Amino acid sequence: MVKKYNLENELIIREERFRKNLSLYDSEWALAVFFDSLDIFYFTGTMQNGVFIIPRDSESLFFVKKSYDRAIIESPLRNIYPIRSFRQIKDHIKANRGRLYMHKAKTNILTSERFNKYFAFSDILALDKPYYMTRAVKSEYEIEMQKASGIILRDALEKFARNEIKEGISEFELGFKIYSYMVDRGHELITRSNNLSIGLFTGDVSFSENGCFYNAHDGPVGSKGLSTSAPFFGSKERLLRKGDTIIIDMVCNIGGYNTDKTIVYCLGSAEKNIGYEHEKCIEIEGLIVSMMKPGGIPANIYETIMNSLDKDFKINFMGYGSNQVKFLGHGIGLTVDEYPVIARSFLDPLEESMTLAVEPKKCVDNRCIVGSENTYLITKEGAISITGNCNKIIEL
């Protein structure tokens, strides 16, 4: 059970941390503006259609198009105002030709232009990195949410799924049973991504060769999916056969906060080479986790692991063929793809209270994909799993 917490204090801490990070990034910023509903939720506690504005030298302001009444009920903020258009914001903020910061990854050009025509900022810059750095370090409340999510996800994949895997079941049917189990226990239906072009629906369930199929999202596990318009979750046509491997890569969301986990089953005994490749992935996960301490550099972790692998193992490691991805783990929180990433270009050190999903995976030719994944919390002593510790192939 998640402990009670003071939402107002939580929001104050988040905003103060963001102000500090943005000032370190640019000491002369004038205004930070957020339009995305998830960003608004992070700073206000309510998910409404509106604009959240943080001026450098004054209190933040929350302007709501719809629903103002719900925002008043759900958010403890003082400065909440109803608006019909951006023009009305001029009554509260004067035109300024300084530096305007927006979350560019989540703000379309039309919205940016409509907003700035009333203010004429000379520069519109991206606040993405300082904002993602702010979200990366979790509060006690956020960690509690992720721990609650992790328990549900662990039980769904390690215990519930085991009893539902039977010859003749489809990928979709198995996935939907697991999804329903999680929803009954609190999973909030959806998985959010920072990538606006990708739709995710809790995760993927893939049997044998389908786990090597090509996908559009930035992950190593493939999926035929439901159709060409919904290439995720699981196929209704692919039925489970004796000897199949089953990879289940799913996410659970509690209070907006996600955890990510993968587990592999086999209907029968796993072939020797499949078992070897899987054990190697488990070994890699352990090595990554041993380096995930405050002060650790994600790029150094990535290079250390990749340089330790032999040439043959690197073939189809982290995805089959062109499906291969260039990371070994990723931050997770309000979205499944948070900052930081265990990849070559991430040089900012890890910090206590960050959460990351570590997922070394390997395609065995194009017959199946194996490997493991758990979500880890970084503590002073090192990283601890909040999604369980079962990572062996489970033979049924």
Side-chain angles (χ1 to χ4, degrees):
M1 184 175 180
V2 177
K3 294 181 289 188
K4 290 184 179 180
Y5 76 111
N6 186 307
L7 177 59
E8 184 174 9
N9 288 345
E10 177 80 12
L11 299 180
I12 290 170
I13 291 169
R14 293 178 188 182
E15 185 179 319
E16 287 177 347
R17 193 162 65 241
F18 170 72
R19 285 177 178 271
K20 178 181 178 181
N21 284 335
L22 186 54
S23 293
L24 289 171
Y25 189 74
D26 180 359
S27 61
E28 298 182 3
W29 67 278
L31 206 71
V33 182
F34 297 88
F35 301 95
D36 180 71
S37 61
L38 190 64
D39 297 343
I40 288 172
F41 171 77
Y42 181 74
F43 285 113
T44 71
T46 185
M47 193 171 286
Q48 305 308 320
N49 177 9
V51 188
F52 182 72
I53 298 178
I54 304 178
R56 186 181 65 180
D57 300 321
S58 58
E59 291 185 343
S60 60
L61 305 159
F62 183 21
F63 301 96
V64 186
K65 290 184 177 180
K66 194 173 188 301
S67 163
Y68 171 75
D69 291 328
R70 181 161 181 165
I72 290 294
I73 292 169
E74 294 181 348
S75 177
L77 300 184
R78 293 190 300 273
N79 303 318
I80 306 178
Y81 306 97
I83 59 168
R84 293 183 301 278
S85 75
F86 294 149
R87 180 185 290 109
Q88 294 169 273
I89 298 176
K90 290 186 69 175
D91 297 336
H92 302 269
I93 297 176
K94 294 180 180 179
N96 187 317
R97 292 186 180 275
R99 294 175 185 168
L100 171 64
Y101 275 86
M102 291 183 180
H103 187 183
K104 285 195 171 183
K106 290 293 186 75
T107 306
N108 63 57
I109 294 172
L110 184 60
T111 298
S112 173
E113 290 175 345
R114 283 176 174 173
F115 179 85
N116 198 42
K117 76 177 182 180
Y118 298 112
F119 299 97
F121 280 89
S122 56
D123 295 305
I124 300 179
L125 305 170
L127 54 72
D128 300 38
K129 184 176 179 180
Y131 174 51
Y132 290 150
M133 290 178 69
T134 301
R135 278 197 351 204
V137 179
K138 308 300 191 298
S139 68
E140 182 181 350
Y141 165 73
E142 292 174 304
I143 291 169
E144 286 294 316
M145 286 292 181
Q146 287 191 287
K147 284 182 176 179
S149 164
I151 290 170
I152 294 171
L153 187 56
R154 177 201 67 195
D155 290 347
L157 271 58
E158 293 182 8
K159 298 176 183 178
F160 176 78
R162 177 190 303 250
N163 297 320
E164 301 301 320
I165 295 173
K166 296 177 176 63
E167 190 172 3
I169 195 171
S170 71
E171 292 176 343
F172 174 83
E173 185 181 359
L174 177 58
F176 196 77
K177 283 176 180 287
I178 299 169
Y179 173 76
S180 298
Y181 174 90
M182 292 196 297
V183 170
D184 285 345
R185 283 150 185 81
H187 172 51
E188 296 185 352
L189 300 175
I190 63 172
T191 298
R192 294 185 174 92
S193 170
N194 279 316
N195 190 333
L196 297 178
S197 66
I198 301 300
L200 291 176
F201 188 75
T202 296
D204 288 305
V205 176
S206 297
F207 299 161
S208 293
E209 76 287 347
N210 279 1
C212 300
F213 199 66
Y214 306 103
N215 63 47
H217 71 270
D218 197 19
V221 177
S223 175
K224 279 288 185 70
L226 289 166
S227 68
T228 55
S229 65
F232 43 80
F233 197 58
S235 168
K236 290 184 176 180
E237 283 72 43
R238 180 54 165 94
L239 306 184
L240 188 63
R241 302 186 292 259
K242 280 285 188 182
D244 276 334
T245 58
I246 305 106
I247 190 162
I248 306 171
D249 184 351
M250 300 190 86
V251 179
C252 183
N253 166 9
I254 297 291
Y257 290 87
N258 298 279
T259 52
D260 196 357
K261 180 179 178 68
T262 298
I263 200 160
V264 176
Y265 287 87
C266 184
L267 193 61
S269 298
E271 295 177 21
K272 186 175 181 180
N273 64 326
I274 291 174
Y276 169 79
E277 304 285 36
H278 185 81
E279 290 295 326
K280 181 65 178 177
C281 288
I282 294 173
E283 177 186 331
I284 292 168
E285 180 178 350
L287 290 172
I288 294 169
V289 172
S290 71
M291 293 183 277
M292 284 171 45
K293 298 176 181 178
I297 306 298
N300 292 349
I301 297 173
Y302 181 82
E303 292 290 356
T304 298
I305 295 298
M306 296 305 294
N307 290 339
S308 72
L309 303 178
D310 62 53
K311 184 178 179 181
D312 288 341
F313 188 82
K314 286 182 180 180
I315 297 171
N316 298 324
F317 177 58
M318 295 303 292
Y320 178 73
S322 62
N323 221 41
Q324 197 170 51
V325 296
K326 301 299 183 182
F327 66 87
L328 296 171
H330 53 88
I332 189 166
L334 288 175
T335 64
V336 73
D337 48 354
E338 292 274 341
Y339 185 94
V341 181
I342 300 175
R344 184 170 284 115
S345 60
F346 283 77
L347 300 173
D348 293 308
L350 298 175
E351 297 181 46
E352 184 180 355
S353 299
M354 286 182 170
T355 51
L356 296 92
V358 179
E359 57 169 326
K361 289 168 180 150
K362 164 78 173 176
C363 282
V364 184
D365 301 321
N366 64 346
R367 295 187 294 128
C368 68
I369 185 168
V370 293
S372 57
E373 180 177 20
N374 281 293
T375 298
Y376 290 87
L377 168 66
I378 297 180
T379 71
K380 290 179 182 178
E381 292 74 31
I384 57 173
S385 174
I386 58 175
T387 52
N389 295 296
C390 175
N391 50 19
K392 302 280 187 180
I393 292 179
I394 301 174
E395 297 178 342
L396 302 174

